[in-house]
Amino acid sequence: MTMSILEIGGVKATALADQFKTPLYVYDQQHIEQTLATFVDRFKSTQFSTQIIYASKAFQAIYLLNLVAEYGLGLDVVTGGELFVATQSNMPRNRIYFHGNNKSLEELDLAFKWGVQHIICDNVMELEVIGQLAQKYQQEMNIMLRLNVGIEAHTHEYIITSHIDSKFGFAWESEECRKCLDLLANNPYLKLEGIHSHIGSQIFDLTAWYASIDKLVTYLKAFNEPLVLNIGGGFGIQYTAADQPLDLGESLTSLISYVEKALAEQQVTISKLMIEPGRSLVGNAGSTLYTVGYQKQTPEKLYYFVDGGMSDNLRPSLYQAKYACDIANRMDAPKTEKVTVAGKCCESGDILIEACLLPVASQGDLLVTYATGAYGYSMSNQYNKNVTPAVVFVKDGIAHEVIRRQTFEDLLHYEVTEKKKRGFKNDV
């Protein structure tokens, strides 16, 4: 009997696994392109310009950044490393926005040297440093203030970013905000570009977003000229059948309409409206392929062990994220087994999926977990010296390797051996 094999972008999962080994991150490029087109088509207004900023923390690779740039998006980076990779892509420097709550002096200095024109300021100490660098280089910098509006999205505690004691941003009414406005007013090289807020991730209800917009628009009344309004990101995606994501196109239209209405009610104008999707652009486009290894029956659980785990998908261990899966080389086999899918890392918490229904599997079968396109590769690690998997983009029956699989030799790349040893002598 011939079993049905999962295809991604017109390529069989078994062929991908044979060519690139497992674990393997696989992206359906057409899915990403369709999502990009939806954002571009629906995030528009006749009353103000709009800009979509891809939050690269979800997944960053030069191949993807080139695709994002091609669709006219900007880019959100949060570290010097993300900034460096961005500068190696086709993303125009004037569409890069530098985020982060603790940008180092070195990172901010690089932002000036590498032609970044937009920095989202998270606190007054940071703005003081930016001001000093701007004067040093006699170079203007556009500043967006990250405001904490005190509105919480109904998501996991660790991905709520705008409650009153969040590490991100500051309140409009705070002394911190007043000091930032004073610094901006007194430094000729710093220009207040706009205000920004991000209330959380994996959002399935626009109500909190609307409330955030209401507050932000009220704050804009304090300024004499139109500014940029950046409403952050946060659209949820479907990880399991329990998730009910919003219709993306309808939600984008609703947000535009709500901003237009709020501006009219407050008699405020803006120069531009920005949104920062990350997960919703790439999450459902990505899957991870694993090879099933040993199995074990305990008194209460049947384990299927796979050749990856928390080293390639940290989210289940980090904040109990849920995923769906299948046996990719036998998609039509009856699901008769209640299984816990566990990784190979030396941690009891290395569990990818609890209590899922799967077919009876054999060693060597291929298991796929869905919706790993966001925060899979970007959160990957080398715990237990696991090598980082390859990343492939697939479209129209062609698989394109965009990041190669690490080798064991790569694990030694930064080791300081006797031949490479360096140091200093403490003469004190």
Side-chain angles (χ1 to χ4, degrees):
M1 176 178 170
T2 302
M3 288 293 181
S4 175
I5 298 174
L6 173 70
E7 289 192 5
I8 304 173
V11 180
K12 292 184 183 298
T14 47
L16 291 168
D18 288 343
Q19 177 68 29
F20 301 105
K21 299 184 179 180
T22 60
L24 177 66
Y25 299 110
V26 185
Y27 285 83
D28 183 335
Q29 182 171 331
Q30 186 172 357
H31 189 293
I32 294 175
E33 291 175 353
Q34 289 172 342
T35 307
L36 285 167
T38 299
F39 269 99
V40 172
D41 291 343
R42 301 297 286 272
F43 196 67
K44 289 180 177 179
S45 172
T46 58
Q47 299 181 21
F48 42 77
S49 64
T50 56
Q51 178 70 63
I52 303 153
I53 309 294
Y54 172 58
S56 59
K57 64 178 182 173
F59 169 60
Q60 192 185 56
I62 290 175
Y63 185 89
L64 175 64
L65 298 189
N66 290 345
L67 182 62
V68 165
E70 183 182 325
Y71 275 78
L73 275 68
L75 188 68
D76 156 349
V77 300
V78 299
T79 66
E82 285 188 352
L83 175 58
F84 172 73
V85 173
T87 65
Q88 305 306 298
S89 74
N90 294 335
M91 180 62 65
R93 305 291 172 93
N94 64 358
R95 299 210 309 253
I96 297 175
Y97 291 76
F98 197 2
H99 276 264
N101 66 298
N102 191 32
K103 308 176 193 73
S104 69
L105 174 60
E106 179 185 14
E107 289 173 326
L108 289 170
D109 189 70
L110 289 174
F112 278 88
K113 289 179 178 177
W114 290 344
V116 172
Q117 298 177 23
H118 311 275
I119 295 178
I120 290 76
C121 175
D122 201 89
N123 56 72
V124 68
M125 292 177 69
E126 176 192 325
L127 190 58
E128 290 171 347
V129 174
I130 296 170
Q132 292 164 6
L133 289 169
Q135 290 178 325
K136 171 185 173 181
Y137 290 110
Q138 296 187 11
Q139 181 177 328
E140 291 187 355
M141 183 61 71
N142 296 301
I143 302 296
M144 202 171 297
L145 299 179
R146 178 159 183 170
L147 299 179
N148 187 328
V149 294
I151 293 169
E152 300 183 14
H154 297 290
T155 59
H156 190 282
E157 178 183 355
Y158 295 166
I159 51 179
I160 293 171
T161 57
S162 197
H163 59 72
I164 196 63
D165 288 318
S166 170
K167 77 174 194 175
F168 297 106
F170 45 85
W172 171 256
E173 302 84 359
S174 67
E175 180 69 10
E176 185 113 350
C177 184
R178 187 195 63 76
K179 288 180 179 179
C180 284
L181 292 173
D182 286 345
L183 286 169
L184 289 165
N186 293 310
N187 189 319
Y189 294 105
L190 300 183
K191 178 185 176 183
L192 177 60
E193 181 177 23
I195 58 176
H196 168 282
S197 178
H198 178 66
I199 61 171
S201 302
Q202 196 62 357
I203 297 171
F204 294 140
D205 184 344
L206 295 180
T207 304
W209 226 331
Y210 293 155
S212 172
I213 290 167
D214 285 337
K215 281 200 168 188
L216 292 169
V217 170
T218 299
Y219 302 156
L220 288 170
K221 295 178 70 175
F223 302 100
N224 296 322
E225 59 182 346
L227 298 178
V228 173
L229 175 60
N230 187 327
I231 59 174
F235 286 115
I237 66 169
Q238 185 172 48
Y239 288 101
T240 70
D243 295 324
Q244 299 297 317
L246 298 163
D247 180 273
L248 185 56
E250 291 179 2
S251 297
L252 290 167
T253 300
S254 296
L255 284 172
I256 291 286
S257 297
Y258 195 88
V259 171
E260 291 174 344
K261 176 175 173 288
L263 292 172
E265 289 177 350
Q266 296 293 333
Q267 297 184 321
V268 174
T269 58
I270 59 174
S271 59
K272 185 181 292 185
L273 180 68
M274 291 183 175
I275 194 168
E276 296 175 340
R279 182 198 316 258
S280 56
L281 274 174
V282 295
N284 284 131
S287 302
T288 305
L289 298 177
Y290 300 97
T291 299
V292 177
Y294 304 133
Q295 299 164 33
K296 181 167 71 175
Q297 179 70 63
T298 68
E300 296 184 359
K301 289 185 178 182
L302 171 61
Y303 285 100
Y304 284 1
F305 299 137
V306 295
D307 56 350
M310 63 188 293
S311 53
D312 60 78
N313 187 357
L314 186 60
R315 295 183 70 249
S317 298
L318 183 63
Y319 40 69
Q320 298 76 56
K322 307 297 181 185
Y323 287 87
C325 62
D326 280 308
I327 299 299
N329 57 306
R330 292 189 292 116
M331 293 292 289
D332 52 0
K335 296 184 176 183
T336 58
E337 303 294 302
K338 186 177 180 180
V339 174
T340 293
V341 179
K344 63 181 295 178
C345 293
C346 193
E347 294 289 338
S348 297
D350 183 22
I351 304 296
L352 289 174
I353 307 175
E354 287 270 17
C356 58
L357 287 176
L358 285 174
V360 175
S362 301
Q363 190 174 1
D365 277 341
L366 201 61
L367 184 138
V368 57
T369 57
Y370 302 106
T372 59
Y375 306 108
Y377 181 87
S378 62
M379 283 187 172
S380 63
N381 58 84
Q382 293 177 331
Y383 182 53
N384 291 153
K385 293 296 184 183
N386 280 309
V387 297
T388 304
V391 179
V392 298
F393 274 52
V394 190
K395 182 182 179 183
D396 297 332
I398 299 173
H400 182 75
E401 185 179 36
V402 303
I403 300 177
R404 68 168 175 81
R405 178 185 175 89
Q406 286 187 328
T407 64
F408 288 148
E409 288 73 21
D410 289 330
L411 298 176
L412 300 178
H413 184 73
Y414 300 106
E415 292 280 345
V416 179
T417 63
E418 285 298 322
K419 291 182 179 180
K420 296 190 292 183
K421 185 177 292 184
R422 57 182 180 173
F424 68 93
K425 180 179 180 181
N426 188 350
D427 294 326
V428 178

